[in-house]
Amino acid sequence: MENQEKCGEPGFFLLDFSKGQSVSNHQTVSITPHRSRWRRRAQTLLLPAPGRGIGSARGPGANRHGLTPVTSQNWRGARLLPPPPLWVPPNRQRAANRKAGSARADAEAGPGGDRARPGRGVGRTGLSCRAPGCSAVRRERERAEGCGRQPRPTAAGIPVRTSSLPLFSDAMPAPTQLFFPLLRNCELSRIYGTACYCHHKHLCCSPPCIPQNRLRYTPHPAYATFCRPRENWWQYTQGRRYASTPQKFYLTPPQVNSILKANEYSFKVPEFDGKNVSSVLGFDSNQLPANAPIEDRRSAATCLQTRGMLLGVFDGHAGCACSQAVSERLFYYIAVSLLPHETLLEIENAVESGRALLPILQWHKHPNDYFSKEASKLYFNSLRTYWQELIDLNTGESADIDVKEALINAFKRLDNDISLEAQVGDPNSFLNYLVLRVAFSGATACVAHVDGVDLHVANTGDSRAMLGVQEEDGSWSAVTLSNDHNAQNERELERLKLEHPKNEAKSVVKQDRLLGLLMPFRAFGDVKFKWSIDLQKRVIESGPDQLNDNEYTKFIPPNYHTPPYLTAEPEVTYHRLRPQDKFLVLATDGLWETMHRQDVVRIVGEYLTGMHHQQPIAVGGYKVTLGQMHGLLTERRAKMSSVFEDQNAATHLIRHAVGNNEFGAVDHERLSKMLSLPEELARMYRDDITIIVVQFNSHVVGAYQNQEH
Amino acid sequence: MLYRLLSIVQRQRTSPGWQTWSSARSSTSAAEAHSIALPAQAQVVICGGGIMGTSVAYHLSKMGWQNIVLLEQGRLAAGSTRFCAGILSTARHSSIEQKMADYSNKLYHQLEQETGIQTGIPSEIISPKKVAELHPLLNVHDLVGAMHVPEDAVVSSADVALALASAASQNGVQIYDRTSVLHVLIKKGRVTGVETDKGQIECQYFVNCAGQWAYELGLSNEEPVSIPLHACEHFYLLTRPWDTPLQSNTPTIVDADGRIYIRNWQGGILSGGFEKNPKPIFTEGKNQLEIQNLREDWDHFEPLLSSLLRRMPVLETLEILKLVNCPETFTPDMKCIMGESPVVQGYFVLAGMNSAGLSLGGGAGKLLAEWMVYGYPSENVWELDLQRFGTLQSSRTFLRHRVMEVMPLIYDLKVPRWDFQTGRQLRTSPLYDRLDAQGARWMEKHGFERPKYFVPPNKDLLALEQSKTFYKPDWFEIVESEVKCCKEAVCVIDMSSFTKFEITSTGDQALESLQYLFSNDLDVPVGHIVHTGMLNECGGYENDCSIARLNKRSFFMISPTDQQVHCWAWLNKYMPKDSNLLLEDVTWKYTALNLIGPRAVDVLSELSYAPMTPDHFPTLFCKEMSVGYANGIRVMSMTHTGEPGFMLYIPIEYALHVYNEVMSVGQKYGIRNAGYYALRSLRIEKFFAFWGQDLNTLTTPMECGGESRVKLEKVFFQIPPLCLSAEQCDCLIRKIRKDRELLASALGGGIIIIIIIIIIIIIIIIIIIIIIIGIDFIGRDALLQQKQNGVYKRLAMFILDDHDTDLDLWPWWGEPIYRNGKYAGKTTSSAYSYTLERHVCLGYVHNFSEDNGEEQVVTTDFINRGEYEIDIAGHRFQAKAKLYPVTSFFTHKRRKDDVELSDFHGK
C-alpha cells in the first residue's frame, strides 16, 4: 500500500469503546488537533465511552486542569452536530481543500470573516460547547477545513485491528524521534505503561514515538492494555458521576493575567527634546507558548549605523534550535547588508586591529529572550566572512543600498551559513550538535524594516505582516503586507511545480504539504529538504551519536528526487507609510489561524485608540440628572475595563485570540480553560502565538509627506 | 461649548464676590487696585493674591509693618482660591494645623465686623444620633456614628480673600493686580528686589504665596529656591437647586470612606472628593492661564459620584449644573510649606496647602507674619517649615509620583508610623542591598532609606494595607528580639542617614565660631565628643547634635537626618564669612554603623587588635583606627541610645568591607542587624530626647533636662571671638588709615604708634572682661534668665502602669497628659520598653494656673508630686513621671548562674 510506504500521517486516535470501534460513528472528532507543520507524533486521545469530547470524560484530575465536566445537556448538544467525515479519499480531500481555500478567500474578502477556526473546533469539543448560533454553513466550512487545511485525523481506530491497520500506519509519527531522541525500544513498554497511567489522569497523553518498523504490525503486549474497552468503561461512568456534581475550577483573572503577561514586552522610542523624530512610536510584543518549550522566537532592534528599526517573528518547527539561531543572527546579516562600504571597512579594520567595534544593533529584548553564548564566536566568524565578501564584492561605486536587495541577500546568506556550518561541523562537540540541530530543524521568518516612511517586509514562510489602516470615518481595515508561503498560495504552488520536473508535480505538494510533510513552502534550516540524499547521509554518519540515534534525521522525505525543495529566500514587500497607517502587526500563524485579519486589526485599532482618545463626556447644557450620569458612567467603565486590563497591545490581542467566544468578546471562562491546559494538550488547541504590534507616529509620517510635497 | 459654559459659570460664581469687593472698596475707599505705576521701593513684596497672600498682607500690616506691596498676576482671589469648595474644617490631623484652622475660623468671623463683608455662615450643631434627622437626604444605614464639628463653617473663600485684602489695604497695603512677578532679585544670598512685568521693585522681603505656581516661581531666581509642591486636578460637582431648596443650615458632610464631601450650594449640592487615582497636572510647568481651560472628566469622577449616590440616594433626580475642575496643590508629606528659604535670606514662602487653604489660611498667614516681624513664629512650626525639604525633593518626577500618593491620603485613615510608598530609594546607604536581602523593612527620612527592623526569614508580616493599626503592631516581636540582642549581645544599625558636617579652619576660627553657636563648651581635648545644642536667641533648640573634636582645628558634627538643610542654613547664617573657615557637608562621604551592645567591645577589639575597654576607650571618645583591612575609620564610643557600644563612621568605599567583617567576626558574639524601631525603644527608655520629636525651637535645654549639655560659663583662653566679617575689617582698616592720615598731618608719626598701642590695650581689656564673665553664645541670656526664673514646662518620662500592651490602644504621640486630673500637656514620643515591659512616653508637663489658665513655673517638686494619667483615645492610664532615666537595675538582672544554653544560640 502506498500509505504504508509513507511514514505516516499525524493524527488522532479516537478510541470509541462503547461503539465498538466503529470509525464511522464518531461525532466528536471535532476536537481539532492543531495542525502542525511537521507530521507530529500521533496525538492519541482516549475516550473511554461514547466520547462527547474531551471534557465529557474528565476525571477529577482533569478537573484540576480547569476543564469543566460537560453535562449531559452539553453532549446532547454536541450530538446534534453532524459527524464529520473521518476518512476522505484523496481526490475528495483535494476538492475539499480547494473549497476551503475559496471559502477562506470569501471570508477574507468580507468583513467579519470566519474567525477562530480551530478555536471553534475546540468550542465543540466541550471546552465551551455552547454554540447555539453555530450555523450550518460555518459547520460545513469548518468540516471542509478540518479535512483539508489541517492535518486532520484522517483515521481513527484501534491499531490492533487489521481493518484499521493501514489507517494506523498512516498515522505514524515520523518526526517524533526528534522530540524524544533518547527513547529506546526497550523503554516502550514503560512508556506505554505511563501512557495508560497518564490516561487515568488526563485521558489523553502525548504518545511516545513509535519506531515505525517495529510497531507497524506487532501488537505490543503493553499496547494491548491500551485497548481494553470494558475496563475503561467504569472509569467513564465515574467520570460522568463526577461530572454531575459540577465542581468548577478556573484560573482567577490575576492568574490568567500573569500567564498572559509573562512574556510581554513594550518598547517606546525615546523622545529627544520633547520631539519624537522616529516614525515608530514604539512596539508591544508578546508570546504565548503552546509547545513546551516554545518554538516561536521574536526579535526587535534598532540599526545604529544606519537608520531604521528591525522587527521580526520567527516560527520554528521540529524544535526551537533554528528559530533561536535565526532570531539571534538574521538582524545582524540584514544590518551588515545595509551598511555602506566605508562602515564595513571600518568595522573590518577594527576587528583586524583589535580596536573597539562599532555597535551595529540596539536590541530591545524581553529578559526571557536569550542569546546563546556558546555559539556566538562561531556566528561572529560566519558574519565576518559575509561582510568581508561584501567588502570584496563592492567596488565602492554604488552608494545607494537597496533595502529589498539587502533583505533578500541577508536571508539567503544566513540560510546558507546555517547549512554550511552544519556541513563543516565544529570541533567542539556541543557546538557541533548545535549547528546540526539548527540545520535539521526549521524556522519561518517575517521581518519588517521601518525607516522613515519606508516599510519593507521580508517574509519567508507563513507568518504574516498586517498593516492597520484607519479610514477617515474611524473604522479599521487591514492591508496584508506579506504572502503566506504555503499551499493556500497558488503562486507558491506554481513556483514549486516549475522548479521541479513535471513528473513530480503530484508529489511535490501533497495534502497541502511540501512532499506531504512540511506546511510552509519556504523556511530557514530544514536541510532535509535542501541537501542531496548523499550529503544528508554523509553529515549524519559523521555527526555525533545523538544525531545518529535520532530516527528523524535519518529519515529521507518520500519522493525526494530533485533537491532542493525548500528555500529561505524571502518575498519582500515595500510599502510607503501614510498618516492613516497606524500600526503593523507581525505575528506567527498561531494568531492568524485563530483570528481573521480584519478582527485582528479592529481589536488592535480599538485598543490603541481606546488607550489614547476616549471621547470625554460633557454635560454641555443638557439636562442630565445625577442618576442618569451615574448609569452612563458605569456603563462606560465596564466597557473600558476590558481594554485597560492590558497595557500591551500584543497581550490584548492574545487575550482575544485565545479567549474570544462566538460573539467576539473575551470570555473569561474560556480563556481560563485554554490557559490551564496541560502542556501536552495545549498544542492540540493552539499553536505558539507570537505577536509584535508596531505603532507608527502619524505626525512624523505626515511631516515626511509634507516635506516631499 | 464646554468652554463657553465654563466661562459663563465662572463669571456667575465669581461675580458676587467681585461686586462685594468693589462695594467694599467704595465703602472703605482706602484700597485702590493700582494698575499703573508700581512703587520703586517696598519693605515687603508679596506675590499671590489668593487667600494666603492676602492673609499674610493683612497680618503683616496689623503687626505694624509699613510699605507692603501685594502683587497678583490675574485678579484677586482667582486661582485655587476662587474654585475652593469653601469648607472650613477645624478637625485637622496635626496639632499645629488645628491651631491654625482654629485661628482662621475666629479670624473670618472677626473680619465680618472689620470690613463688613459677609464671609461665613456658621454651621448648626447636630448631634451624631440625629444625623438622619438633621440631614434628611442622608443614607445612614451603614453608619456606626458621625463626628460633628459645630464650629466648622462654610465660607466663600473668594470673599474671605477679598475681605482680607480689603482690611489689609485699610492698613496701608498696596495691592496691584494683573502684575506678575518674573523673578526675584538676589544679591549675596539676600533678597534685594523683585522683577515684574511692569517694572522693578526694591524690597527687603519677598513672600511667595503663588499657590500652584510657587514651585516655578521659586526656580525662576538666579539662586533657585526649592518649594516642593505639585498640583493635582480636583473635581467637584455642582447641581441645580432642589425644587424645595435645601436649608442654608444643612450641615456639611464629609464621608471619608466614600472619599467625598457634600455641602449645600445655592439650594443644590456641591460635592467633591479625593479619589484614589489622582491626576497630577502641570508637571511640565504649564502656563498659568491653563487653569481656565481645564476640562471636566466624568469618567474620572465616576467613583466619587457612585459614593455620593450611595450616601444620598435621593440625589438621583437632581440635575447636574457642572463638574468643576480646580487644581489643588499638594506637598510631599501632606503638610503645608511655610518659612524662610534656606538659601536666600528674606525669601519667605507660604504655599502647598493640600486643599486646606481656606481652613489654614488665617492661621498660617499670622504665623508667617510673626516669623517675618519677630524672626520666629509663636508656635513650633518645624513640621511645616520649608527647611524640612531640600533640593532633593524638588524633582518633578518625584513630586508627580508622591502627590499621587498624598492626595488620596487626605481621606484615608492616618495610622502612626506610616511610610510613603512612592518616591523611595532615592538616597541609600551602600549597604542597602545587603540589608534588604536580610529582610530589612525600610522607612524614609529626608529621602534616605533607613531600616525599621529586620524580618527573620521564617516570619511573615501582614500586607501593607492590613498592617494599619493603632494597636500592637505586627513587628512587636521582631523588634523585641532586636532590642534583647542589643542588651545582651551586639547589634548593628545602619545609621548613615544622619547629617554629618565637618568644620575646619586654618586657625582657631572653627572653635571660636562653634563656641558662639553651641551651648556646650567645645574647647575639649582632641578626641572628645560633646553632646550639645544649637540654640536660638530664646534658648530653644535649633538643632541637637554631637560634636567630636578631631583635632585642634577641626570638628565633626552629627545631627539628625532632617537637619541637613536647616542646620546648614543656620550655620551659614551665623558663621562669619571667613575664607579660612570651611564648613563642609560630608553626609554622603560616610556610612555610619552603630554597634550597640555589651559585646560591641569584643567585636571591635578583635577587628582592630586594639584594646577597646573603657580604660583605653572611655565613653564619648573618638579615635581614627583600623577596622578589618580598612584604615581611617572614625570610631566613637557612643550609640545615641545610652547603651554601651560604638558608632563607626566609615568612608563609603570601605563600608561593605567593614560591615562584612563586623558581621563575620560578630557571629560568635551573637551579632545581628537591628533597625530604628529598636533604637527608638532603647533611647526612649533611657530618656534620650530627639530633636524634631521631643525637642524643637521652642524648648530649651533647661526644660528637658539638658542642663548638662549647656555650659553657661565657658572659659576662654584664646583670642576672643571677633566675629568680624570682611566688610567690617575693611571698614576698620579704612578707619584706622583715615585716622592715621588725620593724626599724621596733625601730630606726626609718633602718635600713631601710641594710638595703636592704645587700641591693643583696649583689646586686651576686652579679652580679660570676656574671660571673667564667660563667653557669650546664642541663647545664653535666655538660658540664664530661665535658670533664674525657672521653666514653664518640663520634659518628663512617663511609665504607663496599667496599660495592656496586647489589648489596649498604644500611645504613639500627642496623647494628653493629665496631672491630678487636670490637663497638663501632651506626649511627644513614646515606645514600648522591652526592659521595663511597659510603655514609656516622653512629654512636656505644664503648670496651667487654675484661675486663668496662664502658664506657671514648673519645678521638680511639681513634677514629682503629681499623679499622672495619659489619655489614649479617651481611656486614661495611670503613669509614673520621672525626670531622670530609670536606673538600670533591670538591665543587669542576668547573673552568672542565670546563663542558659539557649544563650549560646546565634541571634
Side-chain angles (χ1 to χ4, degrees), chain B residues 287 336 359 483 840 903:
Chain B
N287 188 316
C336 72
S359 307
V483 167
V840 177
D903 294 328

Side-chain angles (χ1 to χ4, degrees), chain A residues 360-585:
Chain A
I360 299 178
L361 291 179
Q362 170 79 55
W363 290 97
H364 312 301
K365 279 167 13 134
H366 188 273
N368 288 356
D369 301 340
Y370 61 95
F371 277 172
S372 78
K373 280 209 181 91
E374 296 82 1
S376 117
K377 182 82 194 138
L378 175 76
Y379 291 168
F380 174 76
N381 286 335
S382 298
L383 184 69
R384 189 180 171 191
T385 320
Y386 177 42
W387 81 55
Q388 282 171 342
E389 277 174 33
L390 284 177
I391 291 171
D392 292 344
L393 283 174
N394 193 321
T395 47
E397 57 215 30
S398 64
D400 265 352
I401 289 165
D402 184 28
V403 179
K404 183 171 176 178
E405 202 109 307
L407 285 166
I408 294 175
N409 287 342
F411 272 62
K412 279 159 80 174
R413 177 65 184 209
L414 173 59
D415 192 48
N416 215 28
D417 282 353
I418 287 173
S419 172
L420 215 62
E421 284 157 11
Q423 288 173 38
V424 175
D426 196 286
N428 177 336
S429 65
F430 175 81
L431 274 186
N432 197 23
Y433 185 44
L434 178 78
V435 293
L436 285 166
R437 273 192 301 149
V438 168
F440 275 92
S441 57
T444 72
C446 186
V447 173
H449 178 261
V450 196
D451 180 3
V453 285
D454 300 319
L455 169 63
H456 286 86
V457 174
N459 185 40
T460 286
D462 54 2
S463 296
R464 234 184 255 176
M466 196 70 68
L467 193 66
V469 182
Q470 191 166 30
E471 306 294 346
E472 271 174 21
D473 61 350
S475 66
W476 293 95
S477 60
V479 172
T480 318
L481 291 183
S482 64
N483 296 314
D484 296 358
H485 300 135
N486 59 14
Q488 273 69 49
N489 185 340
E490 294 289 339
R491 289 225 314 271
E492 281 295 292
L493 284 169
E494 280 304 304
R495 177 181 67 85
L496 273 171
K497 280 176 189 161
L498 282 175
E499 282 176 2
H500 298 279
K502 274 209 170 129
N503 56 350
E504 285 186 51
K506 281 193 176 172
S507 62
V508 68
V509 175
K510 261 191 170 177
Q511 283 141 14
D512 281 356
R513 286 158 182 266
L514 186 66
L515 297 177
L517 292 170
L518 193 64
M519 289 208 59
F521 290 177
R522 299 191 195 192
F524 282 94
D526 283 328
V527 290
K528 292 169 60 56
F529 298 87
K530 289 172 179 165
W531 291 354
S532 67
I533 296 179
D534 275 358
L535 182 58
Q536 292 196 28
K537 281 189 174 149
R538 215 171 58 230
V539 169
I540 290 165
E541 270 161 28
S542 61
D545 292 346
Q546 298 110 303
L547 199 70
N548 253 326
D549 287 348
N550 196 326
E551 295 282 333
Y552 157 71
T553 46
K554 278 185 180 168
F555 154 83
I556 302 290
N559 302 315
Y560 197 73
H561 306 302
T562 49
Y565 285 89
L566 194 64
T567 174
E569 179 173 341
E571 217 180 322
V572 179
T573 322
Y574 171 72
H575 179 81
R576 202 187 143 77
L577 287 174
R578 305 156 298 168
Q580 64 263 42
D581 300 332
K582 299 296 182 191
F583 59 88
L584 177 75
V585 181

Side-chain angles (χ1 to χ4, degrees), chain A residues 243-261:
Chain A
S244 62
T245 53
Q247 190 193 47
K248 294 195 177 180
F249 174 82
Y250 292 133
L251 296 175
T252 59
Q255 283 171 319
V256 164
N257 285 345
S258 76
I259 294 175
L260 286 179
K261 291 179 180 184

Side-chain angles (χ1 to χ4, degrees), chain B residues 667-873:
Chain B
Q667 208 154 30
K668 60 173 173 268
Y669 301 108
I671 201 164
R672 59 170 287 165
N673 291 302
Y676 268 75
Y677 284 4
L679 184 88
R680 187 186 171 84
S681 165
L682 288 168
R683 66 108 178 155
I684 288 178
E685 77 183 16
K686 281 276 166 66
F687 205 176
F688 267 53
F690 260 31
W691 195 91
Q693 291 167 35
D694 312 305
L695 309 180
N696 58 46
T697 49
L698 295 182
T699 55
T700 67
M702 300 298 171
E703 293 163 346
C704 57
E707 294 94 337
S708 63
R709 301 188 169 193
V710 175
K711 196 154 186 188
L712 293 170
E713 281 81 36
K714 291 186 192 178
V715 180
F716 206 92
F717 293 106
Q718 284 133 10
I719 301 165
L722 274 176
C723 301
L724 297 181
S725 65
E727 260 177 280
Q728 286 169 302
C729 282
D730 252 15
C731 203
L732 198 71
I733 290 166
R734 236 178 282 135
K735 211 172 185 181
I736 291 172
R737 270 195 206 136
K738 219 178 191 177
D739 292 350
R740 194 179 62 184
E741 278 163 24
L742 281 172
L743 288 167
S745 61
L747 298 162
I751 294 175
I752 299 167
I753 299 163
I754 296 167
I755 291 172
I756 291 171
I757 291 168
I758 292 169
I759 292 171
I760 292 169
I761 291 168
I762 292 169
I763 290 172
I764 290 168
I765 292 167
I766 293 170
I767 292 170
I768 292 164
I769 293 169
I770 287 170
I771 290 171
I772 292 166
I773 61 166
I775 296 160
D776 190 29
F777 59 86
I778 304 175
R780 180 164 174 266
D781 296 341
L783 292 189
L784 279 172
Q785 202 176 2
Q786 223 169 23
K787 198 177 177 190
Q788 216 163 17
N789 300 348
V791 293
Y792 289 93
K793 62 182 176 200
R794 186 76 166 85
L795 186 69
M797 171 168 140
F798 298 92
I799 300 165
L800 295 192
D801 274 338
D802 52 353
H803 185 269
D804 189 325
T805 314
D806 292 318
L807 299 176
D808 289 327
L809 281 163
W810 273 29
W812 297 98
W813 59 78
E815 290 85 14
I817 301 165
Y818 288 90
R819 181 183 177 277
N820 297 339
K822 263 178 56 200
Y823 173 76
K826 266 193 270 185
T827 62
T828 50
S829 62
S830 74
Y832 183 79
S833 160
Y834 294 91
T835 343
L836 305 173
E837 291 170 341
R838 299 269 196 288
H839 260 290
V840 177
C841 305
L842 305 185
Y844 285 94
V845 177
H846 300 252
N847 182 5
F848 295 109
S849 145
E850 288 195 31
D851 314 323
N852 49 13
E854 260 179 42
E855 289 192 50
Q856 291 173 322
V857 173
V858 177
T859 58
T860 316
D861 211 34
F862 178 81
I863 301 276
N864 290 340
R865 272 195 297 167
E867 293 282 324
Y868 291 92
E869 284 171 316
I870 306 281
D871 184 325
I872 304 171

Side-chain angles (χ1 to χ4, degrees), chain B residues 362-577:
Chain B
K366 174 174 163 253
L367 287 177
L368 192 78
E370 286 172 352
W371 203 328
M372 292 170 70
V373 174
Y374 307 122
Y376 45 87
S378 59
E379 300 279 345
N380 166 39
V381 292
W382 169 244
E383 53 183 326
L384 314 177
D385 194 332
L386 172 65
Q387 299 192 358
R388 73 189 187 273
F389 298 119
T391 46
L392 68 95
Q393 284 94 350
S394 87
S395 139
R396 287 181 200 265
T397 319
F398 166 80
L399 289 172
R400 185 180 171 89
H401 289 188
R402 177 56 72 77
V403 294
M404 285 175 74
E405 186 184 355
V406 163
M407 180 170 155
L409 279 180
I410 287 180
Y411 277 163
D412 270 350
L413 189 63
K414 284 157 198 69
V415 291
R417 308 277 167 85
W418 183 254
D419 301 309
F420 288 107
Q421 302 298 308
T422 50
R424 294 287 296 268
Q425 294 182 337
L426 179 57
R427 301 167 77 202
T428 58
S429 128
L431 304 174
Y432 179 84
D433 279 350
R434 283 297 307 274
L435 302 179
D436 199 53
Q438 294 176 73
R441 292 288 183 277
W442 301 91
M443 63 198 261
E444 171 248 4
K445 186 104 181 194
H446 204 66
F448 213 108
E449 296 292 329
R450 320 200 286 185
K452 291 193 281 192
Y453 46 79
F454 287 78
V455 183
N458 50 358
K459 194 161 165 91
D460 283 329
L461 285 185
L462 298 170
L464 200 64
E465 248 345 91
Q466 273 84 54
S467 67
K468 287 184 171 183
T469 182
F470 290 93
Y471 288 92
K472 181 174 154 183
D474 53 352
W475 42 258
F476 183 80
E477 279 85 16
I478 296 175
V479 174
E480 176 173 29
S481 59
E482 284 175 13
V483 167
K484 282 228 165 98
C485 186
C486 287
K487 294 266 179 194
E488 293 164 10
V490 55
C491 277
V492 182
I493 304 181
D494 182 349
M495 295 183 38
S496 312
S497 69
F498 274 20
T499 301
K500 301 173 270 284
F501 289 157
E502 241 174 42
I503 300 134
T504 44
S505 61
T506 48
D508 288 315
Q509 298 95 324
L511 179 69
E512 288 156 19
S513 47
L514 290 186
Q515 286 285 48
Y516 176 64
L517 282 166
F518 290 91
S519 58
N520 211 342
D521 189 3
L522 291 170
D523 193 12
V524 289
V526 170
H528 278 252
I529 302 170
V530 179
H531 288 310
T532 181
M534 208 160 75
L535 308 183
N536 53 29
E537 277 82 2
C538 309
Y541 275 106
E542 287 294 332
N543 184 10
D544 184 34
C545 52
S546 306
I547 296 180
R549 190 164 194 185
L550 299 176
N551 59 46
K552 281 268 177 210
R553 294 182 182 86
S554 87
F555 294 86
F556 188 72
M557 173 179 163
I558 304 149
S559 329
T561 310
D562 47 1
Q563 274 279 357
Q564 198 168 18
V565 178
H566 176 71
C567 180
W568 181 263
W570 184 268
L571 287 174
N572 266 327
K573 192 169 169 185
Y574 286 93
M575 278 205 332
K577 305 274 178 289

Side-chain angles (χ1 to χ4, degrees), chain A residues 614 616-620 622-630 633-634 636-637, chain B residues 1-2 237 239 295-296 298-299 302 305-306 308-309 315-320:
Chain A
Q614 196 203 357
I617 304 184
V619 184
Y622 295 105
K623 281 194 165 190
V624 189
T625 67
L626 285 175
Q628 284 166 339
M629 180 56 95
H630 185 233
L633 293 175
T634 352
R636 274 165 70 94
R637 195 179 56 166
Chain B
M1 182 65 226
L2 168 98
L237 171 85
T239 69
R295 310 194 64 166
E296 53 193 327
W298 279 100
D299 291 299
E302 190 267 339
L305 179 60
S306 297
L308 171 66
L309 290 178
L315 294 188
E316 289 237 345
T317 54
L318 204 56
E319 200 182 311
I320 295 165

